[in-house]
Amino acid sequence: MPPCHSWPIKQSPELQLVKVFLPLAVLAATAIPAAAQTGDLAAVQRHLSAVNTMTAAFSQTDRNGQVLTGTLTLKKPGKIRFQYQKGVPILIVGDGRALTFIDYSVRQVQRWPIGNSPLGVLLDPNKDISRFAKIVPSSDPRVVTLDGYDAKHPEYGRITLVFARDAGAPAGLMLQGWVQLDAQGNRTTIRLSGQKFNAPVSDGTFRWNDPRRQGRVG
């Protein structure tokens, strides 16, 4: 699959990264005052700059309502690992240069540049989100929602990050998860829990076994 796609997971519904994290009904139609939007956007930028590592449990729900769970590990710059629950033969790993999708059931490996994925917002510590992101109106003052979309590269898709205001979290914001739309309009979502920030994470966490070199599937 060409690397311009944000996620190479069109093969089957069970391999899609999920549906809806925060019901869109909480988004209000009222405009945000410019000062408030600028302040929240700056707070999100500070949060992203302050987070060097993160671990969390995640849940993933596809468009058919199937739920998968697992563990997320992130380390900047460019490293991320989605370790799925036992029995799910897929793995997604970012090694600092590329994101790799591995399906052990069919010995399939696909790689594409991190910059071609909306996840670059989370993985690039030098990314200036003010160039392509805006705060989305919310009826709940405890929630900050950021919509990221690069009009120069619509093929990268769109990502909406959802934060809860939390004085104990980096820059006063706790990342709750994200909603992603690919270039074809497929909605995917990740929900996070048990977030921990800036603890040591070994680079070995982002290694993986290449099934194409193995004598058996698994």
Side-chain angles (χ1 to χ4, degrees):
M1 181 166 290
C4 64
H5 290 274
S6 56
W7 286 103
I9 45 179
K10 302 290 193 302
Q11 299 105 335
S12 67
E14 72 176 21
L15 298 185
Q16 291 194 340
L17 281 179
V18 288
K19 194 177 178 185
V20 184
F21 165 72
L22 189 69
L24 296 182
V26 304
L27 300 181
T30 56
I32 299 176
Q37 177 155 168
T38 300
D40 283 341
L41 187 62
V44 172
Q45 184 77 72
R46 290 195 302 272
H47 170 91
L48 296 174
S49 298
V51 174
N52 296 312
T53 69
M54 181 180 71
T55 59
F58 73 85
S59 65
Q60 170 186 309
T61 308
D62 67 22
R63 60 187 177 186
N64 295 322
Q66 181 185 18
V67 178
L68 299 177
T69 61
T71 302
L72 167 68
T73 307
L74 177 151
K75 183 178 183 178
K76 294 179 183 177
K79 297 182 176 67
I80 196 167
R81 182 183 183 100
F82 292 89
Q83 182 68 55
Y84 287 84
Q85 66 197 59
K86 185 177 181 180
V88 177
I90 58 177
L91 178 67
I92 297 173
V93 179
D95 62 4
R97 298 178 301 276
L99 288 168
T100 303
F101 171 84
I102 309 107
D103 185 342
Y104 287 99
S105 67
V106 293
R107 297 179 183 172
Q108 181 183 40
V109 175
Q110 299 183 57
R111 287 170 65 84
W112 68 105
I114 288 173
N116 287 14
S117 165
L119 285 181
V121 174
L122 296 174
L123 300 177
D124 184 351
N126 299 316
K127 207 171 192 68
D128 179 8
I129 62 172
S130 66
R131 296 187 298 104
F132 60 87
K134 64 180 181 180
I135 299 297
V136 179
S138 173
S139 60
D140 189 340
R142 299 169 299 178
V143 174
V144 175
T145 306
L146 180 90
D147 182 49
Y149 176 72
D150 189 344
K152 294 181 179 179
H153 296 283
E155 70 274 16
Y156 295 172
R158 180 186 300 268
I159 190 168
T160 302
L161 302 177
V162 181
F163 298 86
R165 298 187 192 276
D166 183 337
L173 296 175
M174 179 72 75
L175 179 62
Q176 300 293 295
W178 58 87
V179 180
Q180 181 178 318
L181 289 175
D182 67 16
Q184 288 72 45
N186 296 306
R187 186 189 302 276
T188 61
T189 306
I190 291 290
R191 181 193 295 266
L192 302 179
S193 62
Q195 301 91 319
K196 296 181 180 179
F197 301 99
N198 296 332
V201 173
S202 169
D203 286 340
T205 303
F206 308 97
R207 296 172 184 161
W208 50 279
N209 295 321
D210 192 334
R212 299 167 298 183
R213 301 174 182 172
Q214 297 175 354
R216 61 181 179 85
V217 176

